[in-house]
Amino acid sequence: EAQVTQNPRYLITVTGKKLTVTCSQNMNHEYMSWYRQDPGLGLRQIYYSMNVEVTDKGDVPEGYKVSRKEKRNFPLILESPSPNQTSLYFCASSSRLGTGNQPQHFGDGTRLSIL
Amino acid sequence: GNSVTQMEGPVTLSEEAFLTINCTYTATGYPSLFWYVQYPGEGLQLLLKATKADDKGSNKGFEATYRKETTSFHLEKGSVQVSDSAVYFCALSRFSGNTGKLIFGQGTTLQVKP
């Protein structure tokens, strides 16, 4: 089954304690992205990757890091989490084919609470 | 810059009522347009898409037509069901710099009552 898998689904942690949210896709997609969802703001892109070892900032990258060492994995790293990073996070992937009209496939989300 | 504006929710309807959720966009060139649906506790799922002007996307009884003259992509369904209760997101994809990035509206919550 084609899917994007995120872990953990829920996490409550404290300010400053480094954490990593993993994302893995089994569709051999080139593109992967991280979004955060906040009430009234929709989803905003944090970082994206066009392929292995190629990553770049999205609209709200401050306080986040990513890496793309393998095509299937795209972890999101919060080196020193702060309360304003409390949010619902989604990983997504899509095929590189075409010119932006390929749908993105989303994981089920990770709800982070930073106290 | 590129942006998407959706009607504010929540939208509350009775079962079998007609649904319209308005979506307008601002973009240069010819973006692709999407509707995604998010059921409670789940990720976003693609509902339908349209890639060029006058295209009509349809799925599960939902429809939306890409109107370039009014820069709109309104979502419609003739008869909603309780199971349609979810958050609906309008989005555009403008292939700029090879990102294929999606730009989302703020989402519209639909609640359908029996």
Side-chain angles (χ1 to χ4, degrees):
Chain A
E1 179 188 350
Q3 59 186 4
V4 178
T5 303
Q6 295 178 227
N7 280 295
R9 293 290 312 278
Y10 305 91
L11 179 63
I12 301 173
T13 187
V14 295
T15 299
K17 186 176 181 182
K18 180 179 178 180
L19 67 91
T20 299
V21 184
T22 63
C23 174
S24 181
Q25 51 93 5
N26 63 0
M27 294 166 280
N28 202 36
H29 283 165
E30 293 81 7
Y31 290 119
M32 296 187 75
S33 289
W34 277 102
Y35 294 86
R36 61 178 287 174
Q37 182 181 5
D38 300 290
L41 296 176
L43 281 79
R44 295 175 293 167
Q45 191 184 53
I46 302 170
Y47 267 94
Y48 65 92
S49 170
M50 293 185 285
N51 216 323
V52 175
E53 302 291 3
V54 182
T55 64
D56 210 342
K57 297 177 181 178
D59 297 318
V60 287
E62 293 77 21
Y64 304 94
K65 285 176 57 178
V66 293
S67 69
R68 188 92 181 272
K69 293 185 170 58
E70 304 165 283
K71 197 172 187 179
R72 63 183 293 125
N73 295 323
F74 191 45
L76 179 70
I77 303 156
L78 284 72
E79 292 270 4
S80 182
S82 61
N84 64 10
Q85 293 178 296
T86 293
S87 187
L88 180 58
Y89 291 84
F90 288 99
C91 181
S93 72
S94 62
S95 170
R96 189 172 183 271
L97 295 175
T99 56
N101 59 3
Q102 298 301 318
Q104 296 201 9
H105 298 258
F106 284 81
D108 285 338
T110 295
R111 186 167 292 282
L112 288 184
S113 293
I114 316 294
L115 305 178
Chain B
N2 300 325
S3 65
V4 175
T5 303
Q6 290 179 235
M7 64 186 287
E8 293 223 9
V11 174
T12 303
L13 296 173
S14 297
E15 208 164 21
E16 299 184 2
F18 184 87
L19 168 71
T20 299
I21 300 178
N22 290 338
C23 170
T24 57
Y25 68 90
T26 302
T28 56
Y30 301 92
S32 295
L33 301 173
F34 304 85
W35 277 100
Y36 281 82
V37 59
Q38 184 181 31
Y39 298 104
E42 298 183 13
L44 279 72
Q45 303 173 25
L46 177 68
L47 182 59
L48 53 84
K49 72 174 186 180
T51 58
K52 60 183 187 296
D54 299 325
D55 264 3
K56 177 185 283 189
S58 61
N59 186 26
K60 299 180 181 179
F62 291 89
E63 294 182 339
T65 301
Y66 189 141
R67 301 281 189 206
K68 188 163 177 59
E69 64 275 12
T70 55
T71 61
S72 65
F73 192 55
H74 305 321
L75 183 68
E76 297 181 335
K77 187 175 185 183
S79 176
V80 293
Q81 306 300 313
V82 173
S83 58
D84 294 326
S85 298
V87 182
Y88 292 82
F89 290 93
C90 185
L92 72 81
S93 177
R94 177 73 181 98
F95 204 75
S96 171
N98 289 326
T99 68
K101 181 174 81 174
L102 281 173
I103 296 170
F104 287 90
Q106 69 269 41
T108 301
T109 299
L110 170 65
Q111 184 178 16
V112 180
K113 296 186 174 180

